[in-house]
Amino acid sequence: MHDQVFVSSSVLHETRRIIHESEIMKEDDSNWTGTDRIGRQELEIHISFTTCKIGPLIEVQTSKDPEGLRIFYYLVQELGANKLTLINVGIRGGA
């Protein structure tokens, strides 16, 4: 399932900054665990990064690429939190 929203240029700029500072584009998901019975997580930003659903952080630390997967994990968490903030602001602003 893909989420789609329309945002201002300042929100887009901030999202790009977060992605750039994470240095995710230097990573390669080939050593990350693939899709499993629980599902998958995917982040598509010019290229697509895919791994299994990540539960506790210990799964990241015991992977074949803990540094790359840690960057992915925290980037997805930060982008998700920003999305929720935007939704809440939109709900309050639209009320």
Side-chain angles (χ1 to χ4, degrees):
M1 180 165 118
H2 295 281
D3 294 332
Q4 184 174 355
V5 297
F6 296 94
V7 297
S8 69
S9 60
S10 60
V11 170
L12 187 56
H13 176 76
E14 178 64 7
T15 302
R16 286 181 177 148
R17 183 194 65 75
I18 291 167
I19 291 168
H20 176 74
E21 286 185 4
S22 76
E23 298 186 337
I24 190 69
M25 299 302 283
K26 295 179 180 178
E27 300 305 325
D28 177 358
D29 67 355
S30 62
N31 286 323
W32 302 354
T33 305
T35 303
D36 62 9
R37 64 179 173 73
I38 298 171
R40 72 180 191 172
Q41 287 183 236
E42 184 174 4
L43 174 65
E44 189 173 337
I45 43 175
H46 297 291
I47 61 172
S48 179
F49 293 96
T50 305
T51 187
C52 65
K53 288 277 189 180
I54 301 172
L57 197 53
I58 190 73
E59 292 177 16
V60 170
Q61 296 165 340
T62 58
S63 73
K64 292 180 184 176
D65 181 17
E67 179 63 18
L69 198 53
R70 181 188 60 77
I71 289 169
F72 176 82
Y73 177 87
Y74 285 118
L75 176 59
V76 169
Q77 297 298 315
E78 186 169 0
L79 292 173
N82 283 348
K83 180 176 80 172
L84 291 176
T85 299
L86 289 170
I87 290 168
N88 286 331
V89 167
I91 290 171
R92 288 190 198 119

